[in-house]
């Protein structure tokens, strides 16, 4: 879909910003350009839509040499989002989102319906927001509009230059999660620049790690973490790369069935017997519809009190999509060290413990030594 | 609201004074200008200001705009520097120099006023275009707007309030400068003022000065209204927010 072939960027003063970079991004792939500032990642990105002219080499989009295309036409078929967003302050949300459709002279009604559709996609109510101006939105909302705008005319390719870089960490995590969900639906080919290794591992199918204008390693996140090519890569991904690799797994991959679940109306004495039988000191309490209510430990069991009275309500819960590193920190903050995994309606799906995570880390350790 | 009332009272006063002075007919041995003459002088004044201002807008906006282009980035500091320094020259001195260099009469006055009126327009156009967030322009280019589309759809609309503010300043100053240009034989209301000063008849000076002041006030109010009308709604909301912070 996108192919860089021996691409160079040399400025008039002799600075070599990008040196002989070759890589290919396949259709539907989420490719991250990662590296410290000044490594040439943004320059590489901007050469794809010709915002920066390339000095040597070739860039193909859909098999066509980009130098053979009119740059404005090329750009209208490639979505573009940047860190500073750059929404047009004098235009409404609708007009901002429909920038490229307007350039492409879509009918007015189609522009509006597309803007509504995209507002839905980025989780904003069209009726509330479509006629507002950017200055009436929060930073996070503006960034959502920035994402919606780059999807305006439904381009197959998106170029994103640190689109979540200027946002507070909590909103950033939220936007990242939402964007991953959106990408799962729309399957665009994405080139995404970041200097944040966590963001790269979380978002990317493949990571192009750059240094001083050179492409050092181009591979999937797991390989980058487990088989760093040289000292630079090892240093860049960080000494805690074992922990970081937890980010690559989700709770759903590791969770197990709880050893014992009991229903809320069961007799305490009966429950005690079942726990002894199963050889466990705790069990999980649910209602008729399997909604998780809380934890029951054997020392709290009291024949005179109902299960509902003695249960400990959960302080934190996870969903199957929670990354393992987040799950680990949740466990560390909870008293029990075991995490309940629930669906969106609060129904019990499984359970996660330290031991299960330790097993995953052990497997990765052997895998790395083996490889 | 109260602003409008003050404005109307002021205008009524100034025009009343003009009518009163004209009604005097004569002061001592000096005849006041007859009503027809006052009217013609006023129209002449408007004509001088209009001609100079039109030229200043036609030339000033493109000059200010092109000064922001990358290709002219070595020339623009000089241009903007001239515009800034030029504005510090006092009106009287400027007209004096212009009279010496360009000669006397209507055309010389219009040329002098045009040059003087162009300076705030160049400066404001330059500042207005430069104040557009580079991220907005990068986004526009990145989405496939041509250079002209970026200028027409992004840069000029965003710079428009600042450019109009420049025209407003320039016009108001121009009304005053045109009065001074009476000294170099431009005609207009300046002629009455200058004559009044020369023969030391206060009433004659006021007969020219009052309508000049009224003209400046009217034009300022009109252009203020235009400035308000052409400011995009999104920018007004942004400004209000910035005020609150």
């Amino acid at each position: 879909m996108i192919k860089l072939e021996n691409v160079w960027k040399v400025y008039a003063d002799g600075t070599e910003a990008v040196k002989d970079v070759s890589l290919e991004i396949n259709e539907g792939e989420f490719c991250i350009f990662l590296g410290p500032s000044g490594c040439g990642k943004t320059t590489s990105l901007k050469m794809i839509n010709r915002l920066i002219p390339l000095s040597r080499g070739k860039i193909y989009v859909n098999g066509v040499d980009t130098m053979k295309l009119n740059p404005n036409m090329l750009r209208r078929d490639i979505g573009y989002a940047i860190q500073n967003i750059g929404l047009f302050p004098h235009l409404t949300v609708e007009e901002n989102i429909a920038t490229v459709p307007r350039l492409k002279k879509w009918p007015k009604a189609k522009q509006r319906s597309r803007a509504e559709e995209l507002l839905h996609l980025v989780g904003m109510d069209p009726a509330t927001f479509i006629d507002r101006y950017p200055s009436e939105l929060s930073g996070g909302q503006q960034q959502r509009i920035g994402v919606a705008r780059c999807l305006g005319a439904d381009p197959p390719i998106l170029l994103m230059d640190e689109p979540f870089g200027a946002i507070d960490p909590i909103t950033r995590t939220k936007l990242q999660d939402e964007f991953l969900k959106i990408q799962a639906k729309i399957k665009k080919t994405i080139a995404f620049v970041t200097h944040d290794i966590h963001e790269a591992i979380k978002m990317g199918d493949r990571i192009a790690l750059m240094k001083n204008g050179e492409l050092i390693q181009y591979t999937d996140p797991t390989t980058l973490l487990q088989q760093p090519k040289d000292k630079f890569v090892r240093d860049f991904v960080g000494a805690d790369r074992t922990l970081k690799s937890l980010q690559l797994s989700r709770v759903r991959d590791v969770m197990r069935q709880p050893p014992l679940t009991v229903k809320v109306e069961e007799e305490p004495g009966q429950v005690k017997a079942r726990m002894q039988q199963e050889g466990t000191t705790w069990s999980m309490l649910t209602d008729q519809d399997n909604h998780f209510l809380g934890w029951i430990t054997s020392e709290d069991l009291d024949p005179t009190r109902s299960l509902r009275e003695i249960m400990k309500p959960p302080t934190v819960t996870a969903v199957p999509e929670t990354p393992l590193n987040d799950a680990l920190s949740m466990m560390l903050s909870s008293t029990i060290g075991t995490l309940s995994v629930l669906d969106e309606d609060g129904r019990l799906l499984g359970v996660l413990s330290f031991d299960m995570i330790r097993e995953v880390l052990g497997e990765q350790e052997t895998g790395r030594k083996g490889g | 609201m109260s602003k409008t009332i003050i404005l109307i009272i002021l205008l009524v006063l100034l025009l009343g004074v003009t009518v009163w002075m004209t009604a005097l007919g004569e002061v001592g041995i000096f005849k006041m200008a007859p009503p027809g003459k006052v009217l013609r002088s006023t129209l002449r004044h408007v004509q001088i200001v209009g001609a100079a201002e039109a030229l200043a807008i036609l030339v000033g906006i493109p000059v200010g705009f092109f000064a922001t282009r990358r290709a002219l980035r070595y020339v623009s500091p000089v241009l903007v520097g001239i515009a800034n320094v030029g504005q510090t020259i006092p009106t009287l001195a400027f007209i004096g120099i212009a009279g010496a260099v360009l000669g006397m009469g209507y055309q010389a006055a219009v040329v002098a006023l045009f040059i003087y009126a162009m300076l705030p327009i160049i400066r404001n156009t330059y500042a207005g275009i430069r104040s557009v967030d580079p991220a907005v322009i990068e986004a526009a280019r990145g989405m496939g707007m041509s250079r002209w589309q970026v200028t027409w759809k992004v840069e000029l609309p965003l710079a428009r309030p600042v450019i109009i503010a420049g025209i407003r300043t320039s016009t108001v100053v121009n009304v005053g400068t045109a009065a001074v240009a009476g000294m170099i034989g431009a005609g207009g209301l300046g002629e009455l003022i200058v004559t009044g000063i020369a023969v030391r008849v206060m009433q004659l000076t006021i007969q020219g000065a009052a309508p000049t002041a009224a003209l400046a006030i009217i034009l300022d109010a009109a252009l203020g209204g235009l400035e308000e009308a052409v400011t995009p709604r999104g920018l007004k909301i942004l400004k209000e927010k910035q005020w609150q912070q």
Side-chain angles (χ1 to χ4, degrees):
Chain A
M1 198 83 177
I2 304 173
K3 191 174 168 193
L4 280 70
E5 217 174 71
N6 306 103
V7 168
W8 287 76
K9 178 66 203 178
V10 185
Y11 284 101
D13 64 358
T15 317
E16 293 174 333
V18 173
K19 298 174 204 166
D20 200 27
V21 166
S22 299
L23 64 83
E24 209 168 325
I25 306 171
N26 299 320
E27 191 169 343
E29 208 167 53
F30 201 139
C31 171
I32 309 275
F33 287 79
L34 176 69
S37 48
C39 71
K41 55 192 192 295
T42 295
T43 310
S44 301
L45 188 85
K46 289 185 181 177
M47 284 194 288
I48 297 174
N49 70 355
R50 290 183 57 188
L51 275 180
I52 295 178
L54 53 93
S55 308
R56 258 175 285 160
K58 294 235 185 267
I59 295 179
Y60 299 92
V61 167
N62 264 333
V64 184
D65 183 352
T66 53
M67 291 312 287
K68 298 211 166 84
L69 298 167
N70 173 312
N72 294 329
M73 298 305 149
L74 170 75
R75 289 174 200 146
R76 286 173 202 181
D77 291 326
I78 299 178
Y80 189 58
I82 54 178
Q83 178 177 358
N84 296 323
I85 323 178
L87 292 181
F88 302 124
H90 59 306
L91 300 181
T92 61
V93 165
E94 175 189 352
E95 290 164 325
N96 267 286
I97 295 177
T99 301
V100 180
R102 208 162 57 244
L103 289 172
K104 290 188 159 195
K105 302 196 165 58
W106 287 16
K108 272 263 178 297
K110 197 178 163 197
Q111 291 181 22
R112 180 139 185 123
S113 62
R114 179 64 181 160
E116 284 169 353
E117 188 185 336
L118 285 171
L119 277 171
H120 265 302
L121 189 70
V122 297
M124 288 170 74
D125 176 34
T128 313
F129 290 105
I130 199 159
D131 291 323
R132 293 222 180 148
Y133 286 90
S135 47
E136 297 172 285
L137 307 175
S138 71
Q141 288 169 337
Q142 291 189 18
Q143 200 51 269
R144 286 193 171 91
I145 301 301
V147 170
R149 185 173 67 173
C150 88
L151 291 167
D154 205 12
I157 296 170
L158 306 180
L159 304 183
M160 308 181 97
D161 189 358
E162 306 211 28
F164 309 130
I167 301 178
D168 68 89
I170 294 170
T171 315
R172 187 189 310 145
T173 308
K174 217 170 134 199
L175 286 179
Q176 287 169 344
D177 293 342
E178 284 174 15
F179 188 67
L180 280 175
K181 272 186 204 157
I182 292 173
Q183 167 64 358
K185 276 185 234 165
I186 60 180
K187 301 255 183 258
K188 301 287 180 190
T189 307
I190 302 175
F192 185 109
V193 164
T194 182
H195 61 266
D196 177 358
I197 174 81
H198 294 276
E199 187 168 58
I201 293 167
K202 180 174 179 179
M203 310 289 280
D205 297 323
R206 281 217 266 181
I207 298 175
L209 185 59
M210 296 183 70
K211 180 180 84 170
N212 297 334
E214 286 173 67
L215 180 61
I216 306 294
Q217 192 168 6
Y218 183 43
T219 182
D220 61 281
T222 315
T223 314
L224 190 77
L225 287 171
Q226 295 178 359
Q227 296 163 34
K229 193 176 161 188
D230 59 15
K231 187 174 177 310
F232 166 75
V233 182
R234 209 157 36 236
D235 290 346
F236 195 85
V237 300
D240 58 339
R241 59 183 198 275
T242 310
L243 271 179
K244 279 189 187 116
S245 65
L246 280 180
Q247 215 178 326
L248 294 167
S249 309
R250 306 262 157 188
V251 166
R252 102 169 75 72
D253 309 326
V254 185
M255 68 178 188
R256 307 248 172 90
Q257 282 303 309
L260 184 63
T261 49
V262 294
K263 297 279 181 238
V264 70
E265 66 277 358
E266 285 183 49
E267 289 296 325
Q270 201 183 339
V271 170
K272 190 161 195 148
R274 282 181 62 194
M275 281 164 80
Q276 273 164 358
Q277 195 183 336
E278 295 290 333
T280 173
T281 56
W282 54 273
S283 68
M284 299 172 86
L285 187 66
T286 62
D287 70 5
Q288 284 301 345
D289 295 323
N290 202 29
H291 290 109
F292 181 55
L293 299 174
W295 305 90
I296 303 285
T297 53
S298 54
E299 64 258 36
D300 288 339
L301 279 172
D302 181 341
T304 61
R305 297 169 71 200
S306 75
L307 291 178
R308 206 184 264 279
E309 281 172 275
I310 62 154
M311 66 144 193
K312 290 192 178 75
T315 46
V316 284
T317 61
V319 292
E321 287 75 35
T322 309
L324 274 192
N325 59 332
D326 290 349
L328 185 62
S329 24
M330 286 177 180
M331 277 184 209
L332 291 172
S333 68
S334 102
T335 45
I336 293 187
T338 316
L339 198 60
S340 52
V341 184
L342 312 179
D343 70 7
E344 279 167 7
D345 299 323
R347 289 193 186 82
L348 184 61
L349 293 174
V351 66
L352 190 73
S353 70
F354 278 129
D355 288 340
M356 297 174 201
I357 293 182
R358 201 176 292 136
E359 270 172 45
V360 174
L361 289 176
E363 277 166 27
Q364 283 179 359
E365 201 59 40
T366 7
R368 187 183 305 150
K369 276 173 192 147
Chain B
M1 195 57 214
S2 61
K3 207 175 132 194
T4 321
I5 292 171
I6 294 170
L7 210 85
I8 289 169
I9 293 174
L10 205 57
L11 279 176
V12 169
L13 272 174
L14 287 168
L15 294 176
V17 166
T18 313
V19 171
W20 178 25
M21 291 299 131
T22 311
L24 288 176
E26 49 187 44
V27 176
I29 57 160
F30 296 103
K31 276 202 160 64
M32 299 298 290
K37 166 77 177 163
V38 176
L39 206 64
R40 276 198 305 281
S41 292
T42 307
L43 289 178
R44 183 69 163 179
H45 204 95
V46 172
Q47 192 190 355
I48 298 168
V49 171
E53 197 60 39
L55 281 172
I57 292 168
L58 280 177
V59 180
I61 292 177
V63 169
F65 172 76
F66 283 108
T68 62
R69 299 298 94 177
R70 261 181 72 80
L72 290 178
R73 64 187 179 282
Y74 300 113
V75 195
S76 57
V78 180
L79 262 174
V80 177
I82 292 173
N84 281 327
V85 173
Q87 275 185 277
T88 65
I89 301 174
T91 323
L92 202 57
F94 189 85
I95 291 298
I97 297 166
V101 177
L102 298 165
M104 310 288 276
Y106 171 73
Q107 283 179 1
V110 169
V111 173
L113 292 180
F114 146 61
I115 294 171
Y116 199 64
M118 192 168 61
L119 305 178
I121 297 179
I122 292 178
R123 190 166 76 161
N124 274 40
T125 305
Y126 181 81
I129 302 269
R130 282 295 295 264
S131 71
V132 177
D133 183 356
V136 170
I137 295 177
E138 191 198 327
R141 295 285 292 151
M143 283 185 293
M145 282 194 196
S146 68
R147 285 193 191 285
W148 274 111
Q149 283 169 327
V150 172
T151 297
W152 284 113
K153 293 182 173 177
V154 182
E155 288 178 307
L156 286 178
L158 287 174
R160 203 161 54 203
V162 184
I163 297 174
I164 301 285
I167 294 174
R168 184 180 173 189
T169 311
S170 155
T171 306
V172 173
V173 171
N174 202 348
V175 171
T177 316
V180 179
M183 289 196 320
I184 58 168
L189 292 166
E191 201 182 314
L192 301 183
I193 301 173
V194 172
T195 312
I197 292 171
V199 299
R200 295 173 186 248
V201 176
M202 177 82 84
Q203 289 86 339
L204 193 55
T205 305
I206 293 175
Q207 202 187 11
T212 307
L215 193 60
I217 290 170
I218 292 169
L219 286 173
D220 182 63
L223 286 166
L226 181 67
E227 193 181 323
E228 179 71 15
V230 300
T231 304
R233 221 176 84 78
L235 284 189
K236 283 183 198 165
I237 295 166
L238 184 67
K239 289 243 170 63
E240 256 166 51
K241 262 196 153 171
Q242 285 166 346
W243 264 108
Q244 284 161 10
Q245 277 162 10

